[in-house]
Amino acid sequence: MKHKFAGQICVYCNDAPSETTDHALGRKFFLEERRGNLPQVPACHKCNNKKAEHEAYLMTVLPFGAKNADAAKILSELVPPRLERNAKLRQKLTRGYDRSGGTSIPLDHKPLIGLFSMIAKALAFQQFNVRLGDGFSSTAAVFMDQANPAFQQMLSMGNRVSGDLGHGTFKYFGSQPGKYPEQTLWQFEIYGGIDFAGSNMPGGRASLTMAATGEKEFIRNLFYSTQMTDREIQKSAGRNDPCPCGSGKKHKKCHGSVEKQEARERMKAQARANQFQPSVYQPLAAHGYGPDQAAEMRHYIDEFFNR
């Protein structure tokens, strides 16, 4: 069956023919009455399925940290059926919730990075009419909020766009600095700004979700820096293993080389001095709601994990 992007190329892989129309952010993140006029892009089935896997996990977990006006309704109406169909995830969230003393639930950050990296490609196409061809890619990360002034300065450069989808369900702010069209920077705010690390965590609150597109080597460097905040990846990155940046080279021949390690340590020191570094993996905070939502959200969470 034909769709409105028939004859185009998938915006995610920029290789396979478009076989379907994909929403930049899946419709099921939103209440039914908020699903109109969502941005769409061309996609192949393979990329569409990959993105759907990220979305299925995140649209179940992220509502527990929601703060937007629809937060309580999303949590009570959309999440229960999803957890009923996924007993393994429900058990994992329950255990994490109990271990935290009822303050947080565990979050696998990899789907978040994967989804927001794909959304950056979709919005670069939808907002700036840019495709990431050979030599270009995208990545995403969560940063400590103290890095916000530096990011805001970068977002104020060049061509700028912004959007509010679903009355605060998903907001984005993007810029195209001008060096080349494929270089874009994005700030995403989902469900009113989720705390991916609570204020009691080392380094403070982390809700600053950023994504970037650009030259592949630049993106690999950013992705590697983000990945190496994960202790499990640090342990598995042996010198003869594939580099975590995804280049396909051995770690010792890529980001694990002595020269690059020394350069990276200098960059890390500068980032620490400027309070500008990716957040380490932390549980998704299940607190910090608006004053009118706190009691209602607590009711749903307690009911969910104790029934």
Side-chain angles (χ1 to χ4, degrees):
M1 184 170 63
K2 288 189 176 181
H3 55 89
K4 71 176 187 178
F5 293 112
Q8 296 195 32
I9 300 298
C10 173
V11 78
Y12 301 118
C13 65
N14 202 47
D15 181 35
S18 169
E19 298 166 296
T20 185
T21 296
D22 183 59
H23 291 90
L25 183 67
R27 295 173 71 250
K28 292 184 179 180
F29 278 97
F30 304 83
L31 294 173
E32 286 194 23
E33 60 267 31
R34 308 289 197 205
R35 295 176 182 176
N37 301 317
L38 299 177
Q40 299 176 329
V41 296
C44 67
H45 286 315
K46 183 178 179 180
C47 290
N48 184 259
N49 291 338
K50 178 182 177 182
K51 185 164 170 280
E53 289 180 10
H54 298 325
E55 291 177 331
Y57 171 78
L58 294 170
M59 66 178 57
T60 304
V61 177
L62 295 186
F64 286 100
K67 301 177 185 178
N68 59 315
D70 292 336
K73 192 174 181 181
I74 288 172
L75 186 59
S76 63
E77 295 185 5
L78 302 185
V79 176
R82 296 167 186 165
L83 281 181
E84 291 294 343
R85 295 191 296 267
N86 194 337
K88 185 177 179 180
L89 177 58
R90 179 174 175 174
Q91 291 169 1
K92 182 177 181 180
L93 298 182
T94 303
R95 287 195 298 269
Y97 179 78
D98 290 340
R99 282 197 300 267
S100 74
T103 61
S104 66
I105 59 175
L107 172 74
D108 181 356
H109 61 300
K110 296 181 184 69
L112 186 76
I113 293 173
L115 177 61
F116 283 177
S117 296
M118 296 182 82
I119 292 175
K121 290 183 177 181
L123 290 179
F125 172 81
Q126 207 266 342
Q127 293 292 323
F128 294 126
N129 197 29
V130 166
R131 286 181 174 275
L132 302 184
D134 292 342
F136 296 94
S137 188
S138 65
T139 191
V142 175
F143 290 82
M144 296 296 179
D145 285 11
Q146 55 198 0
N148 189 51
F151 276 119
Q152 294 308 310
Q153 183 177 2
M154 287 189 283
L155 283 166
S156 68
M157 301 167 59
N159 300 323
R160 289 169 287 172
V161 294
S162 62
D164 182 346
L165 308 179
H167 294 268
T169 302
F170 183 75
K171 294 182 180 179
Y172 62 85
F173 308 88
S175 69
Q176 193 180 37
K179 182 179 179 181
Y180 44 85
E182 294 87 352
Q183 184 181 43
T184 66
L185 180 68
W186 302 91
Q187 179 182 352
F188 300 139
E189 181 186 284
I190 190 165
Y191 292 141
I194 292 172
D195 290 340
F196 294 99
S199 57
N200 61 330
M201 298 291 185
R205 186 170 179 263
S207 65
L208 187 60
T209 309
M210 306 297 300
T213 67
E215 291 175 317
K216 190 166 288 186
E217 186 61 30
F218 167 72
I219 294 299
R220 281 177 178 159
N221 289 337
L222 293 179
F223 182 73
Y224 180 83
S225 297
T226 302
Q227 289 288 86
M228 293 305 283
T229 62
D230 186 324
R231 292 179 182 178
E232 293 303 314
I233 293 177
Q234 289 180 29
K235 294 176 185 176
S236 65
R239 284 176 50 78
N240 289 308
D241 293 327
C243 187
C245 78
S247 66
K249 300 177 183 178
K250 289 185 177 181
H251 191 213
K252 66 183 180 182
K253 296 289 186 179
C254 194
H255 284 88
S257 68
V258 173
E259 181 181 349
K260 286 196 173 183
Q261 283 181 333
E262 292 175 347
R264 189 165 58 256
E265 288 305 317
R266 290 194 296 270
M267 290 176 62
K268 283 184 178 179
Q270 184 177 358
R272 285 192 293 268
N274 295 331
Q275 299 182 327
F276 189 75
Q277 53 188 328
S279 167
V280 296
Y281 165 59
Q282 299 287 5
L284 171 65
H287 59 265
Y289 309 106
D292 297 331
Q293 298 172 14
E296 191 171 10
M297 294 293 281
R298 176 56 56 194
H299 165 74
Y300 287 124
I301 292 170
D302 289 342
E303 182 181 85
F304 232 22
F305 289 109
N306 293 300
R307 65 180 180 176

